[in-house]
């Protein structure tokens, strides 16, 4: 018997008999802490006052704090019973926002919240290497879209590597190993700089594990696991799991079949991975290639600020509190960090009419639907007006199926760019609010076991955790500059390049511009200038005159309920030739 089967009975009990747990006094947001913060400045630093809400059960607040790049909390304070105000002082030398954790601990209940807090901090301008692996059969037909995608990634602060890989419409362990060897060569070349992998088309799908994260008897076995590709130092074996009870033969897992044994990660993940794969989506009238082309077109439009403006989030909760996990709590906590307003309404009914920054739905599910929320036919034939759609229900986490709901929602028009199965485990997306790409939150979620607590009970460090879509995306993309041009000039007897651009963009929150330079197409863009908001030109006196490339990004100050941060548009790139 698999070592993973020991807790199957508990998992099934929670799913099948959750209705008998009469926790009707609570709703999912009762297990989330929703703080507000007020900032003040003094000579020696910055003071933050946190006003903490009154919870619906008895307990006391524990406040945690850490730097955003560390994995260890410092216990800032335990407040007395009934206390709901916390003050913190931060040195003026602190260059990054701080991460706070708020735990409201009762005898049997726990409410949590995790947020990045600070004023006028700048988001990164470089994120690492993005590896784009493209189905070799489709690559030629996608050449214009892939070229634009590469330009957009570079303009967004990524170094880009693009490579074709074999296409596999069915499970092919030999092809999986070929792709893994290729990815390992890039790990060897770039090490920890390789931060994102994007799979485009029918890239071979790895399988691993012997489990059912939705608890259904016909669903125990191996499951699709792109994390096999992304974990550089994980241990993978194929010699002890034996289970052929699942309804889908793809879920069967026996020794030496090319499907791996690991249900939980045996290593640390430092690279995010996302898949853009529209094979087998028969509800759609468009072909696989047409759907991929449409995806890259909307990806480009999002990056240049072409989507509607909204700071609203939508929650469609079909479960409520019928189990200790309180699935929608993950949406309430994340959306409070990422948006200004949270609306409770039906997922498809609302999103087919109105644009939201992000949306979440959970209810009884199947491979092709979430009951009363969304199904594949609706995704194929009606607009879904949100770029980020987070879903939870039985079966649909097993996304390598014909008419997969997760992949169908991703293929929908005109806005969806990323989907994932959130609930087992809970995801922690609050980094997404401060200019970091989705990749950062993905890595934090995949590696989390106890750093971020929640009412979630299952799936932590599971090899099933997956992202459908592009992990390099940020949450906010302001308008880029327009009409960048150059001219040669002589300045103090030296050759120089003068860059000029238009500022017909969102000037309300515009605070300046950043100028970058690269000596060749393969070299990283290095920042060479910082300009105020009233600028529209830059002179480079260190130009080699021919062969240099420049990039200009607009810098905006974004307000949020947890302070302000500076983030950039994607750059406008020009080559001096």
């Amino acid at each position: 018997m698999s070592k993973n089967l020991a807790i199957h009975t508990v998992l099934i009990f929670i799913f099948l008999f959750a209705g008998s747990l009469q926790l009707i006094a609570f709703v999912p947001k009762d297990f989330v802490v929703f703080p507000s913060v007020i900032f003040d400045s003094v000579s020696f630093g910055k003071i933050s006052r946190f006003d903490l809400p009154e919870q619906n059960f008895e307990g006391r607040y524990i406040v945690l704090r850490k730097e955003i790049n560390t994995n260890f909390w410092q216990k800032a304070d335990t407040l007395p019973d009934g206390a709901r105000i916390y003050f913190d002082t931060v040195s003026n030398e602190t260059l990054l926002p701080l991460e706070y954790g708020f735990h409201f601990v009762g005898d049997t209940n726990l409410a949590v919240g995790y947020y990045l807090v600070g004023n006028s901090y700048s988001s990164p301008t470089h994120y690492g290497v993005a590896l784009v692996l493209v189905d070799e059969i489709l690559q030629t037909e996608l050449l214009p879209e892939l070229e634009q995608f590469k330009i957009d990634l570079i303009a967004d602060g990524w170094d880009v590597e693009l490579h074709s890989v074999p296409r596999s419409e069915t499970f092919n362990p030999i092809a999986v190993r070929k792709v893994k060897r290729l990815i390992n060569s890039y790990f060897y070349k770039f090490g920890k700089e390789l931060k994102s992998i994007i799979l485009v088309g029918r890239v071979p799908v790895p399988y691993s594990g012997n489990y059912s994260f939705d608890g259904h008897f016909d669903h125990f076995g191996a499951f699709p696991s792109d994390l096999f590709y992304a974990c550089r130092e994980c241990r993978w074996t194929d010699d002890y799991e034996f289970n052929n009870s699942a309804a889908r033969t793809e879920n069967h897992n026996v020794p030496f079949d090319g499907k791996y044994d690991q249900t939980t990660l045996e290593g640390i993940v430092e690279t995010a991975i996302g898949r853009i794969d529209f094979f087998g989506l028969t509800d759609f009238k468009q072909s696989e290639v047409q759907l991929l082309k449409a995806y890259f077109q909307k990806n480009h439009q999002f990056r240049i600020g072409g989507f509607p403006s909204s700071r609203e989030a939508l929650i469609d909760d079909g479960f409520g509190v019928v189990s200790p996990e309180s699935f929608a709590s993950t949406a309430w906590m994340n959306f409070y960090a990422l948006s200004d307003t949270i609306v409770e309404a039906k997922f498809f009914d609302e999103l087919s009419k109105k644009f939201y920054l992000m949306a979440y739905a959970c209810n009884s599910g199947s491979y092709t639907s979430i009951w009363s929320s969304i199904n594949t036919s609706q995704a194929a034939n009606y607009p879904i007006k949100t770029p980020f759609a987070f879903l939870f229900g039985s079966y649909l986490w097993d996304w390598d199926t014909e008419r997969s709901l997760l992949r169908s929602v991703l293929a929908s028009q005109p806005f969806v760019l990323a989907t994932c199965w959130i609930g087992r485990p809970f995801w922690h997306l609050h980094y997404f609010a401060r200019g970091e790409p989705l990749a950062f939150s993905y890595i934090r979620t995949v590696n989390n076991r106890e750093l971020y607590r929640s009412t979630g009970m299952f799936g932590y460090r599971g090899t099933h955790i997956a992202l459908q879509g592009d992990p390099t995306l940020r949450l906010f993309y302001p308008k880029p500059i327009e009409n960048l041009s150059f001219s040669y000039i002589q300045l103090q007897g030296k050759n120089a390049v003068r860059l000029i651009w238009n500022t017909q963009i969102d000037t309300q929150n515009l605070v300046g511009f950043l100028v970058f330079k690269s000596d060749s197409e393969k070299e990283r863009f290095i920042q060479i200038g910082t300009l105020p908001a009233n600028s529209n030109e830059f002179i480079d006196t260190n130009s080699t005159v021919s062969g240099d490339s420049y990039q200009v990004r607009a810098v905006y100050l974004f307000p949020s309920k947890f302070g302000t941060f500076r983030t950039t548009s994607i750059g406008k790139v020009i080559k001096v030739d």
Side-chain angles (χ1 to χ4, degrees):
M1 178 182 291
S2 162
K3 62 182 180 181
N4 295 311
L5 294 177
I7 59 175
H8 280 176
T9 303
V10 175
L11 179 60
I12 295 167
F13 174 84
I14 288 175
F15 249 103
L16 299 183
F17 300 102
S20 65
L21 301 175
Q22 299 299 316
L23 303 179
I24 57 175
F26 297 118
V27 295
K29 61 184 176 181
D30 288 330
F31 304 105
V32 179
V33 176
F34 301 105
S36 60
V37 60
I38 301 172
F39 298 99
D40 197 5
S41 295
V42 291
S43 59
F44 54 86
K46 306 167 186 175
I47 297 176
S48 301
R49 167 182 165 153
F50 295 92
D51 292 327
L52 304 171
E54 184 177 357
Q55 299 294 141
N56 285 343
F57 54 87
E58 296 295 325
R60 65 170 55 182
Y61 276 107
I62 298 174
V63 182
L64 307 174
R65 193 182 85 174
K66 72 180 188 70
E67 296 181 359
I68 63 174
N69 294 318
T70 64
N71 293 317
F72 303 97
W73 292 107
Q74 294 177 337
K75 189 174 181 180
D77 201 358
T78 298
L79 304 186
D81 288 351
R84 293 191 290 112
I85 297 177
Y86 170 71
F87 289 93
D88 197 13
T89 302
V90 179
S91 167
N92 285 322
E93 282 71 43
T94 303
L95 299 178
L96 293 172
L98 289 172
E99 186 172 5
Y100 289 85
F102 300 96
H103 294 179
F104 187 77
V105 183
D107 291 338
T108 59
N109 293 309
L110 171 70
V112 299
Y114 300 102
Y115 308 100
L116 298 184
V117 179
N119 265 325
S120 298
Y121 295 104
S122 297
S123 60
T125 58
H126 183 262
Y127 301 107
V129 177
L131 174 61
V132 184
L133 300 181
V134 185
D135 172 344
E136 62 186 4
I137 302 300
L138 302 182
Q139 183 177 16
T140 301
E141 298 184 78
L142 296 173
L143 280 178
E145 289 76 21
L146 292 171
E147 180 61 27
Q148 183 63 63
F149 185 51
K150 182 178 180 179
I151 291 171
D152 288 346
L153 288 175
I154 293 171
D156 202 10
W158 293 89
D159 301 330
V160 183
E161 299 284 330
L162 193 147
H163 204 289
S164 63
V165 295
R167 176 182 176 88
S168 294
E169 297 185 0
T170 57
F171 176 67
N172 185 334
I174 295 174
V176 167
R177 289 194 291 271
K178 285 182 179 179
V179 175
K180 178 66 169 177
R181 284 196 295 269
L182 175 64
I183 292 173
N184 282 345
S185 72
Y186 282 100
F187 276 128
Y188 180 78
K189 181 178 180 179
F190 294 108
K192 294 183 179 181
E193 277 287 288
L194 181 54
K195 289 299 184 184
S196 283
I197 301 170
I198 304 104
L199 310 177
V200 180
R202 194 60 184 168
V203 177
V205 179
Y207 275 71
S208 188
N210 184 13
Y211 202 59
S212 176
F213 287 97
D214 53 25
H216 291 280
F217 288 109
D218 63 348
H219 207 196
F220 287 117
F223 38 80
S225 179
D226 283 339
L227 275 170
F228 171 73
Y229 291 140
C231 191
R232 177 175 55 167
E233 298 180 351
C234 285
R235 174 177 176 265
W236 302 94
T237 59
D238 181 21
D239 57 9
Y240 62 82
E241 292 291 6
F242 189 100
N243 189 346
N244 58 7
S245 65
R248 292 181 65 237
T249 56
E250 290 85 351
N251 297 128
H252 295 178
N253 193 356
V254 299
F256 313 115
D257 62 351
K259 299 174 185 177
Y260 297 97
D261 301 315
Q262 280 65 34
T263 294
T264 56
L265 290 164
E266 298 181 10
I268 299 300
V269 176
E270 297 176 313
T271 304
I273 188 165
R275 178 178 287 264
I276 309 164
D277 175 7
F278 301 140
F279 172 73
L281 302 186
T282 55
D283 290 275
F284 289 82
K285 300 180 180 69
Q286 301 95 323
S287 68
E288 182 182 358
V289 170
Q290 289 172 326
L291 292 174
L292 285 167
K293 285 178 174 290
Y295 178 87
F296 285 112
Q297 289 166 4
K298 60 185 178 181
N299 189 297
H300 174 67
Q301 286 299 312
F302 184 62
R303 290 180 189 270
I304 63 173
F307 278 21
S309 177
S310 173
R311 297 291 291 269
E312 287 187 293
L314 174 71
I315 294 179
D316 178 6
D317 177 17
F319 280 129
V321 181
V322 294
S323 103
E325 291 171 279
S326 178
F327 300 116
S329 295
T330 186
W332 281 102
M333 180 172 61
N334 285 311
F335 291 1
Y336 186 71
L338 303 178
S339 68
D340 291 340
T341 306
I342 300 174
V343 175
E344 296 181 81
K346 299 306 296 180
F347 188 90
F348 172 74
D349 294 346
E350 189 71 8
L351 291 179
S352 60
K353 298 179 295 186
K354 181 181 175 181
F355 181 88
Y356 285 83
L357 181 61
M358 63 201 69
Y360 175 84
C362 65
N363 210 331
S364 301
S366 70
Y367 295 111
T368 62
S369 67
I370 296 178
W371 186 73
S372 81
S373 294
I374 181 72
N375 61 52
T376 55
S377 177
Q378 291 169 329
N381 294 292
Y382 298 92
I384 306 297
K385 298 183 178 182
T386 184
F388 303 102
F390 307 120
L391 306 174
F392 184 75
S394 295
Y395 294 102
L396 64 97
W397 61 279
D398 189 359
W399 48 261
D400 185 30
T401 58
E402 184 175 322
R403 303 177 63 222
S404 158
L405 179 63
L406 280 176
R407 295 189 296 115
S408 293
V409 171
L410 184 69
S412 69
Q413 293 298 315
F415 297 122
V416 179
L417 296 170
T419 66
C420 49
W421 193 70
I422 291 186
R424 286 183 169 171
F426 281 28
W427 284 48
H428 297 279
L429 300 169
H430 51 287
Y431 284 90
F432 206 20
R434 305 290 295 196
E436 293 282 359
L438 184 54
F440 198 101
S441 290
Y442 174 93
I443 292 168
R444 286 288 185 175
T445 296
V446 166
N447 291 315
N448 179 51
R449 190 184 296 276
E450 296 179 350
L451 184 65
Y452 301 110
R453 296 181 65 187
S454 68
T455 61
M457 297 175 63
F458 298 98
Y460 288 96
R461 294 186 49 75
T463 52
H464 70 295
I465 301 172
L467 172 68
Q468 309 303 315
D470 177 4
T472 70
L473 291 167
R474 293 184 278 133
L475 186 61
F476 302 113
Y477 280 96
K479 296 279 188 182
I481 67 165
E482 298 177 350
N483 302 324
L484 177 64
S485 63
F486 74 91
S487 61
Y488 300 123
I489 62 172
Q490 287 284 317
L491 191 66
Q492 297 178 349
K494 295 177 61 177
N495 293 322
V497 169
R498 181 188 186 197
L499 303 174
I500 303 176
W501 59 89
N502 289 352
T503 57
Q504 296 174 357
I505 49 181
D506 175 19
T507 57
Q508 180 179 356
N509 298 311
L510 182 69
V511 294
F513 300 92
L514 301 180
V515 182
F516 300 80
K517 178 181 175 182
S518 173
D519 294 333
S520 72
E521 292 183 358
K522 293 186 178 180
E523 293 297 323
R524 178 176 300 172
F525 278 90
I526 304 299
Q527 185 177 335
I528 60 171
T530 302
L531 304 172
N534 60 356
S535 305
N536 71 337
E537 70 171 19
F538 177 82
I539 297 175
D540 179 18
T541 58
N542 295 313
S543 173
T544 58
V545 177
S546 181
D548 291 343
S549 292
Y550 294 89
Q551 184 185 126
V552 181
R553 304 187 206 174
V555 183
Y556 293 80
L557 186 68
F558 267 79
S560 77
K561 61 173 68 77
F562 295 107
T564 58
F565 70 100
R566 296 168 184 257
T567 193
T568 68
S569 69
I570 66 168
K572 185 72 73 172
V573 179
I574 193 168
K575 184 175 182 180
V576 175
D577 191 359

